[in-house]
Amino acid sequence: MNTRQPDRAWVLEAVRRIEADFQRSSDTHLIPLALPGFAGIDLYFKDESSHPTGSLKHRLARSLFLYALCNGWLHEGSTVVESSSGSTAVSEAYFARLLGLPFVAVMPATTSAEKIAAIEFQGGRCHLVEDPTTIYSESQRLASELGGHYMDQFTYAERATDWRANNNIAEAIFGQMRLERHPEPAWLVCSAGTGGTVATLGRYVRYCRHATRVCAADAERSVFFDHYCSRDPQLTLAQGSRIEGIGRPRVEASFLPDVIDAMVKVPDRWSVAAMHELSRRLGRPVGGSTGTNLVAALACMERMRAQGETGSVVAILCDSGQRYANTYYDPAWLEQAGLSCAAEQRAMSAWLDGGAPPAALAAGWRLAGELGA
């Protein structure tokens, strides 16, 4: 961490620029999705793809920059470094350019050319490493060498966001739901990448004394679900998640299981199937993590339907599917990755129209907390 005393005038101007950028952007949309098979239960998607950098991570990057500025960690000319090959890097590069700061994303050498181009388009530079497990230590080394600051999203995501107010995503959702048929959601559903957004949702509903419950959706290759069940902080996996932006091979400091009411671990093939079916129904492509969220939202709705409850469920639409034209939307890529899902998509469609949860999914997903047996 850089120890140079920042120039106060520069910091105040930097904060003003970030806040002005926020004021220029209206809040993201809340999109209802009609589901004939779930009478009395309304499903909405909080569309985070409409941010200037196209994803939920725009909120996180804004919070991380404000947190670093107000803690005195950034100064004029600081090089900002982050461990990310995806949406967080794109969003942080945007804010670094807004402040006139250089930005470096540390990422595996296998990162796709499309992702590198997206970060470079926002003015960032990509630093590639051969061993993906070294991105954290390499980020710290690079920040020290350049006299800059390592943002470290996986440590600071949950604490950088003002979860009480400041138009965080939870406050925005409740404000937008105010005139709906069921204004207080029964469930909020969000997948976990750093865990910061889930922590914000969980803290906010408690702070505002809402009856709303929070469900975290997890990817197949991730330790978060098992950590939620066991509370073992040492869990690790040798493989990274195939659902971009969510799931982690280690327990991150920003993942707070105690503010989560339930979890759903979704098989990757079903996440991709749900992604494709939701894209068909919305008329535009969404990303794989949004498919994961849809499956988890349906698990919550199934529990409500079985118990005769009515109400609303809000899930997060994390990013646009346009970023994945060469992966999740490429049949050849899906086949090679073992994620072809035509049969699963048909089963998802039947479920959304009123059928029962697909037997293959019910046998493969894992439920915990209030959704567990």
Coordinates of all heavy atoms in Angstrom, one line a residue, residues 211-254:
A211 N -38.3 -7.9 6.1 CA -38.5 -9.3 6.2 C -37.8 -10.1 5.1 O -37.7 -11.3 5.1 CB -40.0 -9.7 6.3
T212 N -37.3 -9.3 4.1 CA -36.7 -9.9 2.9 C -35.5 -10.8 3.3 O -34.7 -10.5 4.2 CB -36.2 -8.8 2.0 OG1 -37.2 -7.9 1.7 CG2 -35.6 -9.4 0.8
R213 N -35.5 -12.0 2.6 CA -34.4 -12.9 2.8 C -33.4 -12.8 1.6 O -33.8 -12.4 0.5 CB -34.9 -14.3 2.9 CG -35.7 -14.6 4.2 CD -36.7 -15.7 4.1 NE -37.8 -15.4 3.2 CZ -38.8 -16.2 2.8 NH1 -38.8 -17.4 3.3 NH2 -39.7 -15.8 2.0
V214 N -32.2 -13.2 1.8 CA -31.1 -13.0 0.8 C -30.6 -14.4 0.4 O -30.2 -15.2 1.3 CB -30.0 -12.1 1.3 CG1 -28.8 -12.2 0.3 CG2 -30.5 -10.7 1.5
C215 N -30.6 -14.7 -0.9 CA -30.1 -16.0 -1.4 C -28.9 -15.7 -2.2 O -28.9 -14.9 -3.2 CB -31.2 -16.7 -2.2 SG -30.6 -18.3 -2.9
A216 N -27.8 -16.4 -1.9 CA -26.6 -16.3 -2.8 C -26.5 -17.5 -3.7 O -26.7 -18.7 -3.3 CB -25.3 -16.3 -1.9
A217 N -26.3 -17.3 -5.0 CA -26.1 -18.3 -6.0 C -24.6 -18.6 -6.2 O -23.8 -17.6 -6.3 CB -26.8 -17.9 -7.3
D218 N -24.3 -19.8 -6.3 CA -22.8 -20.2 -6.5 C -22.7 -21.0 -7.7 O -23.6 -21.8 -8.1 CB -22.3 -20.9 -5.2 CG -20.8 -20.9 -5.1 OD1 -20.2 -20.0 -5.7 OD2 -20.3 -21.7 -4.4
A219 N -21.5 -20.9 -8.3 CA -21.2 -21.7 -9.5 C -20.6 -23.1 -9.1 O -20.3 -23.4 -7.9 CB -20.1 -21.0 -10.3
E220 N -20.6 -24.0 -10.0 CA -20.2 -25.4 -9.8 C -18.8 -25.5 -9.2 O -18.5 -26.2 -8.2 CB -20.3 -26.1 -11.1 CG -20.0 -27.6 -11.0 CD -20.2 -28.3 -12.4 OE1 -21.2 -28.0 -13.0 OE2 -19.3 -29.1 -12.8
R221 N -17.8 -24.8 -9.8 CA -16.4 -24.8 -9.4 C -16.1 -23.6 -8.5 O -15.5 -22.6 -8.9 CB -15.5 -24.8 -10.6 CG -15.6 -26.1 -11.5 CD -14.7 -26.0 -12.7 NE -14.8 -27.2 -13.5 CZ -14.2 -27.4 -14.7 NH1 -13.4 -26.4 -15.1 NH2 -14.4 -28.4 -15.4
S222 N -16.6 -23.7 -7.3 CA -16.4 -22.6 -6.3 C -16.5 -23.2 -4.9 O -17.2 -24.2 -4.7 CB -17.5 -21.6 -6.5 OG -17.5 -20.6 -5.5
V223 N -15.8 -22.5 -4.0 CA -15.8 -23.0 -2.6 C -16.9 -22.3 -1.7 O -17.1 -22.6 -0.6 CB -14.4 -22.8 -1.9 CG1 -13.4 -23.6 -2.7 CG2 -14.1 -21.3 -1.8
F224 N -17.6 -21.2 -2.2 CA -18.4 -20.4 -1.4 C -19.5 -21.3 -0.7 O -19.8 -21.1 0.4 CB -19.0 -19.3 -2.2 CG -18.1 -18.2 -2.5 CD1 -18.2 -17.5 -3.7 CD2 -17.1 -17.8 -1.6 CE1 -17.3 -16.4 -3.9 CE2 -16.2 -16.7 -1.8 CZ -16.3 -16.1 -3.0
F225 N -20.2 -22.1 -1.5 CA -21.3 -22.9 -1.0 C -20.8 -23.8 0.2 O -21.4 -23.9 1.2 CB -22.0 -23.8 -2.1 CG -23.1 -24.6 -1.6 CD1 -24.4 -24.1 -1.7 CD2 -23.0 -25.8 -1.1 CE1 -25.5 -24.8 -1.2 CE2 -24.0 -26.6 -0.6 CZ -25.3 -26.1 -0.7
D226 N -19.7 -24.5 -0.1 CA -19.2 -25.4 1.0 C -18.7 -24.6 2.2 O -18.9 -25.1 3.3 CB -18.1 -26.2 0.4 CG -18.5 -27.3 -0.5 OD1 -19.6 -27.9 -0.3 OD2 -17.9 -27.5 -1.6
H227 N -18.2 -23.4 2.0 CA -17.8 -22.6 3.1 C -19.1 -22.1 3.9 O -19.0 -22.1 5.1 CB -17.1 -21.4 2.6 CG -16.7 -20.4 3.7 ND1 -15.9 -20.7 4.8 CD2 -17.1 -19.1 3.9 CE1 -15.8 -19.6 5.6 NE2 -16.6 -18.6 5.1
Y228 N -20.1 -21.8 3.2 CA -21.4 -21.4 3.9 C -21.9 -22.6 4.8 O -22.4 -22.3 5.9 CB -22.4 -21.1 2.8 CG -23.8 -20.7 3.3 CD1 -24.0 -19.5 3.9 CD2 -24.9 -21.6 3.3 CE1 -25.3 -19.1 4.4 CE2 -26.1 -21.3 3.8 CZ -26.3 -20.0 4.3 OH -27.5 -19.7 4.8
C229 N -21.7 -23.8 4.3 CA -22.2 -25.0 5.1 C -21.2 -25.3 6.2 O -21.7 -25.7 7.3 CB -22.4 -26.2 4.2 SG -23.6 -26.0 2.9
S230 N -19.9 -25.2 6.0 CA -19.0 -25.7 7.0 C -18.3 -24.6 7.8 O -17.8 -24.8 8.9 CB -17.9 -26.5 6.3 OG -17.1 -25.6 5.5
R231 N -18.2 -23.3 7.2 CA -17.5 -22.2 7.8 C -16.0 -22.5 7.8 O -15.3 -21.8 8.6 CB -18.0 -21.8 9.2 CG -19.5 -21.4 9.2 CD -19.7 -20.1 8.4 NE -20.9 -19.4 8.7 CZ -22.1 -19.6 8.2 NH1 -22.3 -20.5 7.3 NH2 -23.1 -18.9 8.6
D232 N -15.5 -23.4 7.0 CA -14.1 -23.7 6.9 C -13.4 -22.6 6.0 O -13.7 -22.6 4.8 CB -13.9 -25.1 6.4 CG -12.4 -25.4 6.3 OD1 -11.5 -24.6 6.6 OD2 -12.1 -26.6 5.9
P233 N -12.6 -21.7 6.6 CA -12.0 -20.7 5.7 C -10.8 -21.2 4.9 O -10.3 -20.4 4.1 CB -11.5 -19.7 6.8 CG -11.1 -20.5 8.0 CD -12.2 -21.6 8.0
Q234 N -10.4 -22.4 5.0 CA -9.2 -22.9 4.3 C -9.6 -23.7 3.1 O -8.7 -24.2 2.4 CB -8.4 -23.8 5.3 CG -8.0 -23.2 6.6 CD -7.1 -21.9 6.3 OE1 -6.3 -21.9 5.4 NE2 -7.4 -20.9 7.1
L235 N -10.8 -23.7 2.7 CA -11.3 -24.5 1.5 C -10.6 -23.9 0.2 O -10.6 -22.7 0.1 CB -12.8 -24.4 1.4 CG -13.6 -25.1 2.5 CD1 -15.1 -24.9 2.2 CD2 -13.3 -26.6 2.4
T236 N -10.2 -24.8 -0.6 CA -9.6 -24.4 -1.9 C -10.0 -25.4 -3.0 O -10.3 -26.5 -2.7 CB -8.1 -24.3 -1.9 OG1 -7.5 -25.5 -1.5 CG2 -7.6 -23.2 -0.9
L237 N -9.9 -24.9 -4.2 CA -10.1 -25.8 -5.4 C -8.9 -25.6 -6.3 O -8.3 -24.5 -6.4 CB -11.4 -25.4 -6.1 CG -12.7 -25.8 -5.5 CD1 -13.9 -25.2 -6.3 CD2 -12.8 -27.3 -5.4
A238 N -8.6 -26.6 -7.1 CA -7.5 -26.5 -8.1 C -8.0 -25.8 -9.4 O -7.1 -25.3 -10.1 CB -7.0 -27.8 -8.4
Q239 N -9.3 -25.7 -9.6 CA -9.8 -25.2 -10.8 C -10.6 -23.9 -10.6 O -11.2 -23.8 -9.5 CB -10.7 -26.2 -11.5 CG -10.0 -27.4 -12.0 CD -11.1 -28.4 -12.6 OE1 -12.0 -28.8 -11.9 NE2 -10.9 -28.8 -13.8
G240 N -10.6 -23.0 -11.6 CA -11.4 -21.8 -11.5 C -12.8 -22.0 -12.0 O -13.0 -23.0 -12.7
S241 N -13.7 -21.1 -11.8 CA -15.0 -21.2 -12.2 C -15.2 -21.1 -13.7 O -14.4 -20.3 -14.3 CB -15.9 -20.1 -11.5 OG -17.2 -20.1 -12.0
R242 N -16.1 -21.8 -14.3 CA -16.4 -21.7 -15.7 C -17.5 -20.6 -16.0 O -17.7 -20.3 -17.1 CB -16.8 -23.0 -16.3 CG -15.7 -24.1 -16.3 CD -16.2 -25.3 -17.0 NE -17.3 -26.0 -16.3 CZ -17.8 -27.2 -16.6 NH1 -17.4 -27.7 -17.8 NH2 -18.8 -27.7 -15.9
I243 N -18.1 -20.1 -14.9 CA -19.1 -19.1 -15.1 C -18.4 -17.8 -14.7 O -18.1 -17.5 -13.5 CB -20.3 -19.3 -14.1 CG1 -20.9 -20.7 -14.4 CG2 -21.4 -18.2 -14.4 CD1 -21.4 -21.0 -15.8
E244 N -18.1 -17.0 -15.7 CA -17.3 -15.8 -15.6 C -17.9 -14.8 -14.6 O -19.1 -14.5 -14.6 CB -17.0 -15.2 -16.9 CG -16.2 -16.0 -17.8 CD -15.7 -15.2 -19.0 OE1 -15.5 -14.0 -18.9 OE2 -15.4 -15.8 -20.1
G245 N -17.0 -14.3 -13.7 CA -17.4 -13.3 -12.8 C -17.8 -13.8 -11.4 O -17.9 -13.0 -10.5
I246 N -18.2 -15.0 -11.3 CA -18.6 -15.6 -10.0 C -17.9 -16.9 -9.7 O -17.3 -17.5 -10.6 CB -20.2 -15.8 -10.0 CG1 -20.5 -16.9 -11.0 CG2 -20.9 -14.5 -10.3 CD1 -22.0 -17.4 -10.9
G247 N -18.0 -17.2 -8.4 CA -17.3 -18.4 -8.0 C -15.9 -18.2 -7.8 O -15.2 -17.4 -8.5
R248 N -15.3 -18.8 -6.7 CA -13.9 -18.6 -6.4 C -13.3 -19.9 -5.9 O -13.9 -20.7 -5.3 CB -13.7 -17.5 -5.3 CG -14.2 -16.1 -5.6 CD -13.4 -15.5 -6.7 NE -12.0 -15.4 -6.4 CZ -11.0 -15.3 -7.3 NH1 -11.3 -15.2 -8.6 NH2 -9.8 -15.2 -6.9
P249 N -12.0 -20.1 -6.2 CA -11.3 -21.3 -5.8 C -10.8 -21.2 -4.4 O -10.2 -22.2 -3.9 CB -10.1 -21.4 -6.8 CG -9.8 -20.0 -7.1 CD -11.1 -19.3 -7.1
R250 N -11.0 -20.1 -3.7 CA -10.6 -19.9 -2.3 C -11.7 -19.1 -1.6 O -12.4 -18.4 -2.3 CB -9.2 -19.3 -2.2 CG -9.2 -17.8 -2.6 CD -7.8 -17.2 -2.4 NE -7.9 -15.7 -2.4 CZ -6.9 -14.9 -2.3 NH1 -5.7 -15.4 -2.1 NH2 -7.1 -13.6 -2.4
V251 N -11.7 -19.1 -0.3 CA -12.6 -18.3 0.5 C -12.1 -16.9 0.5 O -11.0 -16.6 1.0 CB -12.9 -18.9 1.9 CG1 -13.8 -18.0 2.6 CG2 -13.4 -20.3 1.8
E252 N -12.9 -15.9 0.0 CA -12.4 -14.5 0.0 C -12.9 -13.8 1.2 O -14.0 -14.1 1.8 CB -12.9 -13.8 -1.3 CG -12.5 -14.5 -2.6 CD -11.0 -14.4 -2.8 OE1 -10.3 -13.7 -2.1 OE2 -10.5 -15.1 -3.8
A253 N -12.1 -12.8 1.6 CA -12.5 -12.0 2.9 C -13.8 -11.3 2.8 O -14.5 -11.0 3.8 CB -11.4 -11.0 3.2
S254 N -14.2 -11.0 1.5 CA -15.5 -10.2 1.4 C -16.7 -11.1 1.4 O -17.8 -10.5 1.3 CB -15.4 -9.4 0.0 OG -14.6 -8.3 0.2

